[in-house]
Amino acid sequence: MRKLGETKLKLKSTVIAVFIASEENSAITGVGVDALVKDGLLNKLKGGPLYWIDTADKQPCIGTGGMIPWKLHVTGKLFHSGLPHKAINPLELAMEALKVIQTRFYKDFPPHPKEQVYGFETPSTMKPTQWSYPGGGINQIPGECTVSGDVRLTPFYNVTDVMKRLQEYVDDINENIEKLDTRGPVSKYVLPDENIRGSLTLTFDEATNGVACNLDSRGFHVLCKATEEVVGHVNPYSITGTLPLIRELQVRYMLFSMSDVPRSAFV
């Protein structure tokens, strides 16, 4: 921008610079790209291309992942550890249930052929990242626990489809919980005499889709050429880090979009 101001070049296109705040702080509302989009302040960018720029790397990232934050709350029955046959261990139930959920996820959402074209370092993944329970003595089987994690989804799958499928997995496990693998001769998830069944409840936080850039775009080719001239080589890549709103900008404004993860993108 400084160079353009100094040289006063007569350009065929209009160059607009947008500076945003609070890129990764969702606790502060009313600022950032979401506020600009809401107020129509990015309408002038509809002609594109748009480059989302940060200082994280020197190579163009042409794809980012979607993200689905999830929580799996598991209910069992609290009892003394010396009498495990009278308990439903939610920790064991969570581990076995999650194994089934992950297995079915990777079957239904395998590596996509386009991931190689875009150079994604990993396919879509679904995994736990946190575990919590109410607390208690070491000699006590807890009555509940919560496993949390995320789905990182390449942009060739839709987060809505995945969320629907994950819920189907959990519903099926709840309906057939007695068929789930157990751990040891007294481990169980149903207590018929007490009419108690272990159960799973799946919830989601706000999900975002990933983005795959238009590799036929003039903006992409210009950026690649410039990168090669300045850096000496160009090696576009993709990663399942996520950048909220990039997909929304691409869909809403039909923009060519490129992202530079973890905290920048060229759109």
Side-chain angles (χ1 to χ4, degrees):
M1 295 301 294
R2 177 180 175 181
K3 195 69 173 179
L4 289 175
E6 291 175 344
T7 58
K8 301 186 184 302
L9 293 174
K10 293 183 179 180
L11 304 175
K12 296 180 181 179
S13 302
T14 300
V15 179
I16 300 173
V18 180
F19 296 84
I20 63 169
S22 191
E23 180 185 353
E24 297 186 357
N25 188 351
S26 60
I28 302 176
T29 59
V31 297
V33 173
D34 49 351
L36 296 175
V37 171
K38 180 180 178 182
D39 294 339
L41 297 176
L42 299 186
N43 290 341
K44 292 182 179 180
L45 308 181
K46 289 183 178 180
L50 187 152
Y51 297 92
W52 188 301
I53 304 173
D54 204 328
T55 59
D57 209 337
K58 295 179 180 179
Q59 294 295 329
C61 182
I62 55 177
T64 62
M67 180 182 179
I68 307 173
W70 56 266
K71 292 183 180 179
L72 185 67
H73 184 75
V74 184
T75 303
K77 183 195 173 186
L78 183 150
F79 216 85
H80 193 282
S81 181
L83 300 168
H85 62 293
K86 294 187 176 183
I88 295 178
N89 192 324
L91 305 177
E92 294 182 346
L93 175 53
M95 288 186 280
E96 292 298 338
L98 190 58
K99 179 182 177 181
V100 172
I101 293 170
Q102 288 183 285
T103 299
R104 294 181 65 174
F105 170 86
Y106 288 114
K107 179 180 179 181
D108 291 340
F109 302 98
H112 194 282
K114 287 187 177 180
E115 291 166 9
Q116 292 186 350
V117 176
Y118 278 77
F120 273 93
E121 296 184 4
T122 64
S124 300
T125 58
M126 185 270 177
K127 67 280 184 190
T129 58
Q130 296 178 336
W131 194 307
S132 64
Y133 82 110
I138 195 72
N139 63 344
Q140 185 181 72
I141 296 173
E144 60 182 300
C145 70
T146 300
V147 184
S148 303
D150 68 12
V151 173
R152 295 288 176 152
L153 197 67
T154 59
F156 315 111
Y157 294 112
N158 188 279
V159 295
T160 302
D161 296 334
V162 175
M163 292 164 69
K164 180 180 178 182
R165 197 65 61 86
L166 291 176
Q167 186 61 59
E168 290 175 355
Y169 303 161
V170 171
D171 291 343
D172 184 56
I173 293 173
N174 278 330
E175 292 175 7
N176 301 280
I177 205 159
E178 62 278 350
K179 298 179 181 179
L180 202 62
D181 286 346
T182 55
R183 300 194 168 202
V186 297
S187 176
K188 61 178 71 69
Y189 310 127
V190 179
L191 298 174
D193 294 341
E194 302 179 54
N195 196 28
I196 297 177
R197 295 171 61 90
S199 63
L200 313 172
T201 302
L202 181 65
T203 57
F204 302 103
D205 291 331
E206 184 177 359
T208 57
N209 275 304
V211 62
C213 302
N214 180 0
L215 302 186
D216 296 323
S217 164
R218 178 172 175 266
F220 170 67
H221 292 294
V222 168
L223 180 61
C224 285
K225 182 179 179 181
T227 302
E228 187 173 20
E229 290 177 355
V230 174
V231 180
H233 67 282
V234 59
N235 184 28
Y237 73 100
S238 299
I239 195 170
T240 53
T242 183
L243 279 168
L245 297 168
I246 299 300
R247 175 69 170 267
E248 181 181 343
L249 287 172
Q250 185 188 50
V251 172
R252 182 179 297 214
Y253 297 118
M254 301 179 66
L255 293 177
F256 163 78
S257 58
M258 298 188 67
S259 56
D260 183 2
V261 185
R263 292 181 298 180
S264 66
F266 303 96
V267 183

